[in-house]
Amino acid sequence: MAENIQVKPTANTTNRLKRTRTNGFKAFYFKREREILGGGAIFLFFVVWEILGASGIFNPMFISSPSRVWAAGVAYVESGLIWNDLRISGIEFFSGYLLALIVGVPIGLLMGWYWRVRAILDPFVSFFYSTPRIAFLPVLIIWLGIGMGSKIAIIFMMSVIPFVVNTMTGVRTIDQNLVKVARAFNASDLQIFRTIILPGAIPSIISGLRLGIGLGLIGIVVGEMYAANAGIGYRLMEAGTMFRTDLLFVCVLIIAGIGIAASELLVRVERIFDKWRPDRS
Amino acid sequence: MAQNSLASAVTTERRLDAAKNKLIANRVQIEYFVKRTGEYHLAVEDITLTIAENEFVCIVGPSGCGKSTFLSAVAGLLKHSGGNLSLDGKPITGPCKDLSVVFQSAALLPWRTIIRNVTYGIELWGVPKKEALERAKKMISLVGLSGYEQRYPHELSGGMQQRVNLARALVADPQLLLLDEPFAALDAQTREMMQHELLRIWQENKKTALFITHQINEAIYLADRVVVLSKGPGRIKEIIPIDFPRPRDETIKRDPKFLEYEDRIWALIKEESNE
C-alpha cells in the first residue's frame, strides 16, 4: 500500500520534469517574462548610453556615460564623503518623516471622526494641500538656518499633508454600517476606534505613507540644494555647479534607490493586509 | 427598610407581570432632528405593541412609514420622544445585552475571519476569548457554515454573509432578536432559502423576534402576527394574527389561506399609498 502511494507522485513529478526540460528555455522565459523584459530594457539603455558617451557625438561632459558614473561612484565611496552625506540626509529624512507621521496620522484620525475638528482644521489643510509646500523653504531657512532644522521642517511639511488627508479619507470612507453594528453591541467610542476605525483606515494610511516618501525626498533634495553644507542633495548641487555630470548621476541614482527601496518596503507592509481585501491578491 | 422591601415587592410583581410579555411599546413616539432642514421630523406617531415571549412578530408598511426607525428605538440606538418602551419590564434607554440586531447589510468586518466576526459583539462585552470562540463555533454550525470559520467575508456569497450576521446576533444569546429587513438585499432564491433557515434556527432556540420587512409574503410566512403600519408618521393600522401551525414550510405559501392573508395585507397597504 505504502509503496503504491509513493510511486504515484514520483511518476507524476518525473513527467512534469520531462515536460519542463523539453522546452526549458521557453518555460524559464514565460515564468520571468516581466523581469527579463524590464532588465533587458535597462541593460540596453546603458549600452546605448555608453556608446553615445564614447562615440564623440555628444560631449561626455554633458551626458557622461555608465563607466564614468561608475568610476565617480567608486571615488565617492572611497573618499568617504558618501557616508557623511547619507548620514545627514538620512537623519533629516527620518526625523522629518517620523515627526510628520506622529503629528499627521492622529490629526487625520480626529478630522475623520469629529466633523467639528474637520471644520476647524480644513481651511489650513486645504491651503497647504493646494500650495506647493516647497515654496516655504526660504522662510523655513530664515527661521531655522541652513542646518538640519530647516530640512527636517520642509520634509515634515511635504509629507504631513498626505498623511493627514489620507488618514482622514480612510476614516471617512469606513462603512457606517460597521459602526452601527458596534453601537448596537453597546461599544464604547474607544472600542469603536480600536476595532473599526483604526483597522479600517490602515490601507488608506499606508498609501499616504507611500505618497509621503516621494514628497519627503523632494523636500530633502530641494532643501539641500537650496542651502546646506552636506547631504546627498548638497553633493548633487555641488556636482552640478562644477560640471561633474558623472557625480551628479551618482547622486540621482542614490536618491532614486532610496525612494524605490522605501516604497517597496511599504508595499510589503501593505501586502500583510491583502488577504482580506477582495480587490487585490 | 420597610419601604425598601415594599419597593422590591412592587418591582418583583412588575417583573412577574412582564414575564410573558417580552417587549412592551406603549404609545411610542419618535421624533428626530434633521440637520439638513433644521427641523424635527416625526417618524413614528403612536405605536402600542406587546410582544410575548417566543413570539415572532413582523412589521410591514409602505416605505417611509417609520418601521426601521421604530426598530432602532427598540434597539436603543435612537431615543423615543414619547411613550414607553420596555424589555422584560426594564425601560429601554440605550443598547443593552438583552437584544441583538440583524441589519439589512451584513456589515461584517472585512479584516476579521468569519469566526472572529461572530465573536465580535461578545468580545466587546468582555467575554473571554476561548469561551467566545466556542460559542461562535456552535452558532456557525447552527447557521450551516461549519468549515468556513477561517475564511474572510469577501470569500462568502451574500446569503452566507447574512448567515454570519445572524450568527453574530444569536451568539450574544439575546432575549429579543431584532431583524431589520435582513434579506432585502438578497436575490429571490437565496431569500426564500434564508427565510426557511431563519424559521429553523428560530425554532431551535426559541427566541422572541421582531422582524421588519416590506415584503408581504415574507411577513406572513415567518410571523405569528403581522403588524401593518400606516404611511409615515407611523401608526399601527392593523395587527393580523397568522394562523398557520409550526413548523412551517414553503408549501403554505400556496395555501389559499396564505393568499387571503396576502390580499388583505396588500389591500391595507394600498389604501395607505392611495391616501
Side-chain angles (χ1 to χ4, degrees):
Chain A
M1 263 315 261
E3 265 176 333
N4 250 339
I5 291 165
Q6 265 182 344
V7 167
K8 264 188 188 163
T10 325
N12 236 336
T13 329
T14 28
N15 252 343
R16 213 183 298 131
L17 275 179
K18 227 182 243 164
R19 219 179 303 135
T20 343
R21 219 176 281 138
T22 41
N23 35 27
F25 175 73
K26 254 188 187 167
F28 175 77
Y29 177 79
F30 283 123
K31 217 171 152 191
R32 314 216 144 267
E33 193 172 15
R34 246 169 64 96
E35 289 83 349
I36 290 168
L37 288 178
I42 292 174
F43 181 73
L44 198 71
F45 172 77
F46 280 124
V47 169
V48 171
W49 188 9
E50 183 69 44
I51 291 168
L52 284 179
S55 66
I57 303 172
F58 298 101
N59 186 345
M61 199 205 231
F62 292 132
I63 65 158
S64 194
S65 69
S67 57
R68 287 185 179 86
V69 171
W70 176 257
V74 170
Y76 185 30
V77 173
E78 275 172 354
S79 71
L81 277 173
I82 186 174
W83 306 122
N84 191 46
D85 288 343
L86 277 177
R87 190 177 59 85
I88 301 276
S89 298
I91 292 173
E92 289 167 353
F93 182 78
F94 281 108
S95 315
Y97 190 80
L98 241 105
L99 208 64
L101 189 73
I102 293 166
V103 174
V105 172
I107 288 182
L109 289 172
L110 289 173
M111 284 180 75
W113 196 231
Y114 298 107
W115 73 268
R116 285 199 173 84
V117 178
R118 186 158 67 244
I120 292 166
L121 293 179
D122 207 38
F124 298 95
V125 173
S126 302
F127 173 75
F128 284 111
Y129 188 75
S130 32
T131 316
R133 297 181 288 289
I134 203 82
F136 289 90
L137 187 58
V139 77
L140 289 175
I141 286 172
I142 292 173
W143 291 343
L144 299 163
I146 64 163
M148 291 211 270
S150 54
K151 313 303 176 300
I152 293 173
I154 192 69
I155 292 159
F156 171 83
M157 279 188 82
M158 292 296 280
S159 49
V160 77
I161 297 298
F163 293 175
V164 170
V165 173
N166 270 51
T167 309
M168 176 175 77
T169 316
V171 173
R172 293 194 68 191
T173 49
I174 281 170
D175 184 359
Q176 282 308 305
N177 288 318
L178 300 182
V179 179
K180 207 159 81 172
V181 167
R183 288 235 186 275
F185 278 114
N186 207 7
S188 65
D189 271 9
L190 192 69
Q191 282 177 319
I192 292 178
F193 177 79
R194 198 170 48 77
T195 58
I196 293 173
I197 306 301
L198 204 56
I202 273 178
S204 178
I205 293 176
I206 290 177
S207 62
L209 296 188
R210 277 174 68 186
L211 281 174
I213 288 177
L215 290 167
L217 284 175
I218 293 176
I220 198 165
V221 171
V222 177
E224 287 180 351
M225 283 168 68
Y226 189 78
N229 39 37
I232 298 289
Y234 168 77
R235 199 62 58 202
L236 178 78
M237 192 65 187
E238 195 194 47
T241 50
M242 295 191 302
F243 270 82
R244 289 276 316 275
T245 39
D246 49 354
L247 182 57
L248 198 151
F249 283 124
V250 171
C251 294
V252 170
L253 285 176
I254 290 173
I255 294 160
I258 293 170
I260 291 169
S263 319
E264 190 58 31
L265 190 78
L266 277 174
V267 169
R268 294 274 157 86
V269 176
E270 215 171 6
R271 268 193 208 135
I272 298 172
F273 304 96
D274 268 0
K275 58 175 189 261
W276 57 262
R277 297 168 83 191
D279 50 337
R280 298 274 178 110
S281 87
Chain B
M1 205 47 203
Q3 243 179 347
N4 251 344
S5 60
L6 189 70
S8 70
V10 168
T11 41
T12 330
E13 198 181 274
R14 206 179 291 151
R15 273 212 193 106
L16 282 175
D17 196 17
K20 266 191 188 159
N21 291 328
K22 270 289 155 195
L23 179 80
I24 300 173
N26 187 18
R27 312 217 58 174
V28 170
Q29 188 196 51
I30 305 163
E31 234 178 13
Y32 56 82
F33 187 70
V34 186
K35 216 185 266 172
R36 195 168 40 83
T37 57
E39 280 169 5
Y40 281 92
H41 172 71
L42 184 66
V44 172
E45 196 176 272
D46 180 3
I47 290 185
T48 300
L49 176 69
T50 331
I51 300 180
E53 193 165 6
N54 297 338
E55 196 181 15
F56 201 126
V57 172
C58 281
I59 298 183
V60 293
S63 37
C65 70
K67 50 191 191 293
S68 283
T69 312
F70 177 66
L71 182 129
S72 293
V74 175
L77 291 169
L78 208 68
K79 283 212 166 64
H80 48 287
S81 40
N84 299 305
L85 262 178
S86 62
L87 179 67
D88 283 330
K90 289 167 284 181
I92 293 170
T93 51
C96 75
K97 294 185 184 182
D98 290 334
L99 49 84
S100 307
V101 195
V102 180
F103 293 105
Q104 179 182 338
S105 87
L108 304 177
L109 310 187
W111 48 86
R112 283 186 173 227
T113 54
I114 296 312
I115 190 154
R116 293 292 310 286
N117 260 294
V118 175
T119 59
Y120 179 66
I122 51 178
E123 253 176 62
L124 290 175
W125 295 349
V127 172
K129 204 168 166 185
K130 207 179 143 199
E131 189 199 323
L133 287 173
E134 267 166 32
R135 279 165 68 176
K137 214 159 183 185
K138 266 184 218 150
M139 256 336 133
I140 288 173
S141 102
L142 180 68
V143 300
L145 282 181
S146 289
Y148 287 91
E149 286 88 349
Q150 299 307 325
R151 299 292 189 87
Y152 284 89
H154 71 87
E155 299 173 284
L156 269 59
S157 68
M160 286 156 107
Q161 291 189 12
Q162 213 42 277
R163 284 168 197 255
V164 180
N165 190 7
L166 190 60
R168 175 175 60 191
L170 287 171
V171 82
D173 198 22
Q175 294 293 310
L176 176 64
L177 188 61
L178 301 173
L179 303 108
D180 189 3
E181 304 195 32
F183 308 143
L186 302 178
D187 63 84
Q189 278 174 21
T190 316
R191 187 178 183 134
E192 299 240 332
M193 252 140 52
M194 287 299 289
Q195 290 167 0
H196 188 70
E197 279 288 289
L198 178 66
L199 276 191
R200 177 183 65 77
I201 291 160
W202 172 77
Q203 212 97 40
E204 241 170 86
N205 49 356
K206 274 290 176 193
K207 296 276 178 232
T208 312
L210 177 61
F211 189 107
I212 307 276
T213 179
H214 57 250
Q215 205 176 336
I216 297 164
N217 65 3
E218 183 171 74
I220 302 166
Y221 178 57
L222 295 172
D224 294 314
R225 283 188 298 155
V226 174
V227 178
V228 183
L229 292 191
S230 68
K231 89 177 165 197
R235 269 169 292 112
I236 289 180
K237 191 167 173 74
E238 206 165 323
I239 298 180
I240 299 158
I242 305 296
D243 187 22
F244 278 115
R246 294 190 190 268
R248 298 173 181 171
D249 60 43
E250 280 85 356
T251 52
I252 68 161
K253 288 188 181 172
R254 286 182 292 276
D255 196 301
K257 209 162 72 183
F258 191 97
L259 301 177
E260 232 167 76
Y261 282 130
E262 207 169 346
D263 284 344
R264 193 164 145 212
I265 295 170
W266 185 226
L268 287 168
I269 289 177
K270 230 188 209 157
E271 253 176 61
E272 282 307 311
S273 31
N274 284 344
E275 261 169 31

